[in-house]
Amino acid sequence: MAVSSTQPIPVRKNPKFHLTWPWRITITYMTFMLFLPVAALFLRAATVSPAEFWQIATSPVALSAYDVTFVTAIFVASVNAVFGTLIAWVLVRYDFPLKRFVDAAIDLPFALPTAVAGLTLVSVYSETGWVGSLLTPLGIRVAFTRLGVGVAMLFISLPFVVRSLQPVLQELDIDVEEAAWSLGASRIQTFWRVVLPPLLPALLTGVALGFSRAVGEYGSIVIIASNIAFKDLIASVLIFQRLEQYDYAGATVIGTVLLLISLLILVGINLLQAWRRRYEV
Amino acid sequence: MRSNALSSDVIAQNKAGSQTKEAPWVKIALIGIAITYLGLVLFLPAINVFIQAFRNGVGPFFANFSDAAFINAIQLTVLIALIVVPINTVFGLCAAWAITRHKFPGRALVVSIIDLPFAVSPVVAGLMLILLYGRSGWLGPSLEAINVRIIFALPAMIIASAFITMPFVAREVIPVLEEAGTDQEEAAKTLGAKDWQIFWRVTLPNIRWGLLYGVILTNARVMGEFGAVSVVSGNIIRKTQTLPLYVEEAYKQYESQAAFAASVLLACLALVTLVLKEILERKTSIKDVEE
């Protein structure tokens, strides 16, 4: 979703400071709404001694929550890379009935509240649900397992890769592919050597945005998972549980770890986009 | 999300007939796989919301509307949106203006900072507010002294919703404002227009579709926000329960009929959002063609 924000901004040489109040509103609002809450978290984290911080941050239950959160999100990101590319390809290159509808529906996960997503996913993938009842005889349980966490993450991060790739695929010159073909390259060679390289920056950006979204997801996962520690408990739900137990130190430490990782991902996405701009120029 | 604007062009180009010369079975297989995947992950769950809600007919569905907790949840959700959307619209406009119309070092950094709420888990956002305004938070004692209650009450739910949706308007308006440039504004200024006249007559008409898009996204997210609001609300039935919180509570109480009834309302909100988004994208693409 950060695709737009860091595009090159042509800087005007003659700034007109005839409206200073937008600046005042922006700074005041951001101070109260953004900096103050972030500072509150970091200051609270600073009151925990380093030894205690380390002990909470690396406690077995926390490590297991990071594992469920990040490993599942990485798995989801790779699924997104494959199927997101496929969906974008199909939407850009082929014509089929109801294509316009399918294209518009890709954005549904952006618009559908996550609690609704969780509720309907648990209903479809539970043992009595449409898909769940087909998987149960195969011994596959989705709802209330780590697989359910993955399905929820797949749902909410679906649009990112597709939407990142569509405009780039659009601009891709089909002549180049045909040239590669006519020179004897196989379909698979054409894809790996000709199609994929120019898509790579956009693909990675989409994957990273989806990953970031999946790591931070709470609403749909808390509903589809059983939220049992060492089984399918994600970091966000662990923070929530710590807060419910009035364990503010625990919540603060894990929250700080999660925030720092989110910031790292944000920096990574910005670097990716900078790389992508250079690639485009 | 700006890239979505190109999806209509995608179709336009395809209609023009830039198809690859591939064996038909490849095309059919790829479309089949894509649609099957979307069916499992997206379409089945979406259709399921409506089927589950109306499984026992429309009677039980409408019976939910006589439930006071349900009606209260709808009212609270609308109330929060009515407060948060205007505030974040004004902020988004100011921030977009400040960023695009002034040259200063570290502009890219400011844009990234505005994006921060998108990168943060909603639960962490809620946690920050509890550490700031909660009883044992930094401002807790002073707030208690003047008898102001923020956490587990409406103010915290408003602040949490505003935090989560802070970037939407700014990020939609910034590119449009950039594209519009300052020429018209400067011309109006030379002709003696006042600042507010320039804003209403020149700037606003130029950015109206981008602005509207940002407002629609803000509204959808505010009404659907769950994690952050869940942390700070305390989920007190009939007092601090929004529609998404109602969905979870009903689900936990095994009242799936009620949970799906509330979900249908939220799903309709999502559908309206998507339709408006399509219309706005078509509007902007028509404008592009005219230019």
Side-chain angles (χ1 to χ4, degrees), chain B residues 176 180-181 184-185 201-210 287:
Chain B
V176 196
Q184 294 178 4
E185 285 164 18
R201 302 266 179 103
V202 180
T203 313
L204 200 58
N206 274 335
I207 61 170
R208 61 185 190 274
W209 301 126
K287 206 184 91 198

Side-chain angles (χ1 to χ4, degrees), chain B residues 230-250:
Chain B
S230 174
V231 173
V232 299
S233 77
N235 202 2
I236 305 159
I237 293 167
R238 296 194 58 179
K239 273 184 84 181
T240 62
Q241 197 175 57
T242 60
L243 219 40
L245 296 179
Y246 179 91
V247 170
E248 193 213 15
E249 184 67 21

Side-chain angles (χ1 to χ4, degrees), chain A:
Chain A
M1 289 215 277
V3 177
S4 64
S5 58
T6 46
Q7 271 164 12
I9 295 166
V11 177
R12 252 150 275 287
K13 293 271 153 59
N14 259 332
K16 297 233 164 202
F17 282 88
H18 55 261
L19 273 179
T20 50
W21 55 265
W23 258 120
R24 288 184 200 149
I25 293 176
T26 304
I27 292 167
T28 313
Y29 192 73
M30 282 177 74
T31 304
F32 277 96
M33 296 296 296
L34 200 62
F35 300 137
L36 223 52
V38 173
L41 179 68
F42 284 139
L43 285 174
R44 184 70 181 80
T47 63
V48 182
S49 74
E52 199 189 346
F53 189 103
W54 182 254
Q55 193 233 319
I56 297 172
T58 60
S59 61
V61 66
L63 289 178
S64 151
Y66 306 144
D67 171 48
V68 174
T69 309
F70 292 104
V71 175
T72 314
I74 288 170
F75 174 73
V76 164
S78 40
V79 174
N80 272 335
V82 175
F83 281 96
T85 310
L86 175 67
I87 293 164
W89 178 270
V90 163
L91 285 175
V92 171
R93 288 294 170 91
Y94 304 139
D95 252 332
F96 53 91
L98 290 176
K99 181 169 121 161
R100 175 127 220 178
F101 167 80
V102 173
D103 190 38
I106 299 289
D107 280 332
L108 187 67
F110 283 154
L112 193 72
T114 54
V116 179
L119 178 73
T120 188
L121 285 172
V122 80
S123 146
V124 169
Y125 284 92
S126 73
E127 279 172 29
T128 52
W130 292 342
V131 182
S133 59
L134 301 175
L135 295 174
T136 310
L138 307 172
I140 303 170
R141 287 195 58 201
V142 179
F144 314 117
T145 68
R146 207 169 156 165
L147 207 54
V149 175
V151 170
M153 285 180 175
L154 275 180
F155 178 89
I156 52 114
S157 60
L158 171 79
F160 290 100
V161 172
V162 182
R163 292 309 188 211
S164 292
L165 278 182
Q166 268 179 326
V168 190
L169 259 176
Q170 173 86 37
E171 308 236 310
L172 211 64
D173 211 345
I174 294 175
D175 296 348
V176 184
E177 281 162 54
E178 279 168 1
W181 272 25
S182 62
L183 291 171
S186 72
R187 185 173 288 122
I188 291 160
Q189 279 175 324
T190 310
F191 181 77
W192 281 105
R193 300 268 178 99
V194 178
V195 179
L196 199 59
L199 294 183
L200 209 55
L203 176 63
L204 286 178
T205 308
V207 169
L209 287 170
F211 178 74
S212 160
R213 179 79 175 78
V215 164
E217 177 55 16
Y218 170 74
S220 57
I221 297 175
V222 77
I223 291 177
I224 201 170
S226 58
N227 304 310
I228 295 168
F230 303 107
K231 187 186 166 207
D232 58 3
L233 185 73
I234 58 160
S236 289
V237 179
L238 179 62
I239 296 170
F240 196 94
Q241 290 181 351
R242 288 283 179 268
L243 275 174
E244 278 183 329
Q245 297 152 357
Y246 299 103
D247 175 7
Y248 288 110
T252 302
V253 169
I254 299 160
T256 307
V257 171
L258 203 57
L259 178 66
L260 290 176
I261 294 173
S262 301
L263 290 178
L264 275 179
I265 300 172
L266 190 67
V267 170
I269 291 171
N270 277 320
L271 290 176
L272 265 175
Q273 280 170 338
W275 176 50
R276 184 174 163 184
R277 278 200 299 278
R278 206 170 315 148
Y279 201 97
E280 277 164 7
V281 171

Side-chain angles (χ1 to χ4, degrees), chain B residues 48-59:
Chain B
N48 182 58
V49 174
F50 292 90
I51 289 182
Q52 295 293 332
F54 296 106
R55 198 176 38 181
N56 303 318
V58 281

